[in-house]
Amino acid sequence: MGWAVAVAVLLSASPGFLTRGDVTPEADLRREAQAAWTSLEAQYAAQAGGLPTRAPATVTLQKGTALSPERNAQGRPGVVELRQNTPGVLDARTRTALRHELAHQLLWWACPASSEDRLFHEAFALTVSGELPAWRDGPYQSLSRAAKEVASAPAVDTPRARRGLARILGEHTGFPAALTRRLRQCHDGTRWAAPLTVEELADVAVLAPEAATVVVSRHSGEVLFTEGDVRRAVPYGSTLKPFLYAAGTVVARGDASAPPRGASGEAGAATAVGAGTVTDASAPPLLPPRPGVQEWACGAGLPPKVDARLALLRSCNGWFLDWEAMGRAPKAFGVWGPVLSAVGLTGLPSDMTEAIGLRSAHGLSPWGMAQAYRLLAEARPDVLALLTGNVDEGTLSGLSTSKALKGVATKTGTVRDAASRPQFGWIAAVDADLVAVIVRPGKMPRHFVDELPALLARVRRQAGLDAARVQVLGLLPSATVEARCAGAGFSLEDGTPRAAPPDFSRLDALTAKGPAVCLGSPWRVRFPDGPDGGRDYAGVFTWSTPPPYRPPPGVPTTPSALKARRGSDFVFRTTRVQYTAGVVAAEDVTLQGEARVALARVAAHNERHADTRHPGRALCDTTHCQAFRGTVRIRPEESRALQLPPLKWDAWLTFSQGGSTPWREARSRAQVEDLLGTHLVSLRFESGRVRYLRTEGTPSAPYEDARSLPCDTLRAGLQLPSCPQRASFDGPQVLFEGQGRGHGEGLDVEAAKASPGLSSDALLERAFGA
């Protein structure tokens, strides 16, 4: 394509520019805006690889009436406000300010995903507006000082912050590589998972080292504890070696963390770190140590040939470098590269020295590290099982703390300066329920590992962090359920992560070959006739087909009840406290105080008695078990409930809304006889059962047959508010009378509300007795 044609294409994508007569001369202003837009589009297209197909909106150019003294212009989508000191004169300052604001307008059109990323917007505008040389004039500024100035004003809206940003942008010649990567993401439609960081922009770690700690739940993904700036990317040392191992090995089919679709059993418990089998064809090599080579100095007593397991535990840099030299090592973390990029890795490594942290070319935040290890634990329990050996024969062996970390998967990393002094020490740790990441400046991991057991114990004071499982959405056709991850969503296929679509997609497709995990956000789930916007589910989805359900002979069962008793193809895992809070909110969102604590204790207790409802499987989310409509904000009552001792009853505990409000409803005789059979003579209710007589036999020899069923079968089948107290026949109808709501057994929630002076223990004792 010739230059004239290219210009014509760009001009066709230019917006219309409107003026109001308050900035003059108007014609010159519009021409200046058109020329600036054409130049900006050309620069954007060259770096992003193209432009959007949709036309940009009209942009209004007007005089700013509330500009702060240090601003020459400001804007919002579709509007640019300018300062004009001398009417009729478009001086150099005004032209530069116009180009700067038009750069923002172009991004709002071409890259809407970046709209909330102020650092990215300002970095792009400074780069393409031609104002960088002016900002760079002045005394020398160190890179670390410039980074602090930007960090102190995250909106980059002060002269000092912009001068610091200009210093960072000048760290490398040409168009900043970090901006090019982000612009290509825009053009490719890739989600904007994390905002641009100073470290990513400069391609180096520029801030002074600071301590940081983060702990997240393996099950729900929620952040349970933070200390320090856990979102700041820093060099990662050796901590990403397990991802190289995972990328370079393949788990044999059937050994991944979830069963194949269609299996009747559920996914294995997350409390077992598990073990998979690496196929021989994919096994990394056995390599001989090279004496005298510094990178092979990874502990005494190395065997004649070192396998991947020992190389990982000892963190043998030489083994990984020699693996790359053979041409068999994964490049840029292989299939795990997109995962690490999605959680904030500032750039993929160009070679093994960058991947294993010998060269600190890129960084990752402690938060991003924790998210990545959470997914690794879900996808490759075999790798986590391997890392539990670190305290026995790896980089954390032989310490007084080693025994306290038995069974915890750990990986260390040390970032050193040119004199081999430690700049950062990293520890990533995963146990049955938690992922913890600790970063300490100026220390090696062995010197602060004693903090880890205390950290895990401290977080575990939050009760209910163990796993809870629930069959969800079973009343819906599975093909109608859709899910979306606002963070970074992944489906796991035989231990391999595959990025989930950024928009809503079918949940059965996401879970077809393994668990579906959303990093950094709950899943948002929607379905026809569901709540607007959907529901939040903070946890992990798997597909697990339940066995066929056959109702007991002679027990009438409605189609809805059949679905509920069958269970669901979707099994959802979260924390027990999240599950408990979800049940309480679904059953009675208005509960408070001790009544809420009592119901929460029953809900948590019943989750451990799923066999009474679905043998061999998790509870369902319908009233056949106990309602659950997704995860919600945890209230103090739910946390307190799970800190109390377990309930003494070794059985399923019933509860209902209860209350004393009378009700009276009619159902057709045909509806009743569909459930109980024809020729009904009488109905009465006692002790939680419906007792009825039916006329049997022949016209010449009739007799009355007495039968009974659980009252809740009749209540559910006829959709009555509660188990009736009496019934009467009125021609073609049957009149039912009762009070309250629910089956009327166990904990009466309304009665509990009306007993503010009783503790949860007293309420439960009154409901279930000795």
Side-chain angles (χ1 to χ4, degrees), residues 272-606:
V273 175
T277 303
V278 177
T279 59
D280 290 340
S282 66
L286 289 167
L287 298 175
R290 289 185 285 143
V293 176
Q294 177 62 32
E295 287 75 19
W296 271 100
C298 45
L302 287 177
K305 289 194 174 182
V306 175
D307 62 7
R309 174 186 173 279
L310 187 60
L312 195 54
L313 295 179
R314 296 276 193 98
S315 208
C316 289
N317 292 326
W319 186 94
F320 286 89
L321 294 173
D322 290 356
W323 187 23
E324 179 188 44
M326 295 176 66
R328 293 168 54 185
K331 299 183 182 301
F333 297 110
V335 296
W336 287 90
V339 174
L340 296 169
S341 294
V343 298
L345 185 65
T346 58
L348 292 175
S350 59
D351 58 23
M352 187 62 78
T353 62
E354 291 183 3
I356 63 178
L358 283 179
R359 286 198 299 124
S360 300
H362 307 293
L364 183 62
S365 71
W367 177 88
M369 186 74 70
Q371 299 296 329
Y373 267 89
R374 179 185 175 225
L375 189 65
L376 182 67
E378 197 70 37
R380 295 293 299 270
D382 61 304
V383 179
L384 271 291
L386 186 159
L387 293 175
T388 60
N390 198 23
V391 295
D392 296 319
E393 51 184 317
T395 56
L396 294 179
S397 61
L399 299 170
S400 59
T401 313
S402 299
K403 187 179 293 186
L405 294 174
K406 192 76 173 176
V408 179
T410 58
K411 183 68 188 81
T412 62
T414 304
V415 180
R416 299 177 181 274
D417 62 15
S420 197
R421 294 170 299 200
Q423 289 184 306
F424 288 101
W426 286 79
I427 297 177
V430 184
D431 70 5
D433 303 306
L434 308 174
V435 181
V437 175
I438 305 175
V439 180
R440 295 292 180 263
K443 291 184 178 181
M444 296 181 64
R446 290 175 66 88
H447 296 160
F448 62 87
V449 68
D450 56 336
E451 297 181 36
L452 181 57
L455 172 66
L456 296 176
R458 176 180 179 180
V459 173
R460 284 193 177 280
R461 293 184 196 135
Q462 305 173 44
L465 299 183
D466 50 332
R469 291 172 178 77
V470 54
Q471 300 179 75
V472 294
L473 308 164
L475 299 181
L476 300 167
S478 59
T480 66
V481 181
E482 297 181 320
R484 179 178 69 88
C485 175
F490 292 91
S491 296
L492 300 177
E493 301 178 10
D494 297 323
T496 299
R498 309 292 185 196
D503 297 320
F504 278 101
S505 57
R506 283 175 49 170
L507 185 57
D508 59 353
L510 291 172
T511 57
K513 296 184 179 180
V517 184
C518 181
L519 303 178
S521 174
W523 286 106
R524 193 71 171 169
V525 176
R526 72 180 185 186
F527 47 86
D529 300 322
D532 292 341
R535 302 173 182 166
D536 281 343
Y537 284 79
V540 179
F541 284 103
T542 56
W543 176 278
S544 175
T545 303
Y549 174 74
R550 296 178 179 84
V555 177
T557 310
T558 64
S560 178
L562 279 174
K563 289 182 181 179
R565 284 157 176 75
R566 172 188 178 269
S568 174
D569 295 315
F570 298 119
V571 176
F572 175 68
R573 189 180 90 237
T574 187
T575 60
R576 200 149 66 99
V577 68
Q578 282 278 11
Y579 170 73
T580 300
V583 170
V584 174
E587 294 286 357
D588 191 336
V589 72
T590 66
L591 268 180
Q592 296 181 16
E594 289 298 301
R596 192 178 187 100
V597 173
L599 182 57
R601 294 178 74 183
V602 171
H605 169 90
N606 285 345

Side-chain angles (χ1 to χ4, degrees), residues 7 24 74 77 122 128 135 171 206 332 370 411 442 498 518 527 606 610 675 706 713:
V7 170
T24 56
Q74 64 185 17
E122 286 301 323
V128 300
W135 281 110
E171 182 66 13
V206 297
K411 183 68 188 81
R498 309 292 185 196
C518 181
F527 47 86
N606 285 345
L675 280 172
T713 300

Side-chain angles (χ1 to χ4, degrees), residues 736-748:
F736 294 96
E737 296 177 81
Q739 65 179 34
R741 303 186 67 82
H743 49 63
E745 300 175 23
L747 178 66
D748 184 320

Side-chain angles (χ1 to χ4, degrees), residues 666-674 718 731-736:
R667 298 291 185 269
S668 71
R669 189 179 184 114
Q671 285 179 282
V672 179
E673 291 189 342
D674 280 344
L718 297 178
Q733 290 188 321
V734 181
L735 299 179
F736 294 96

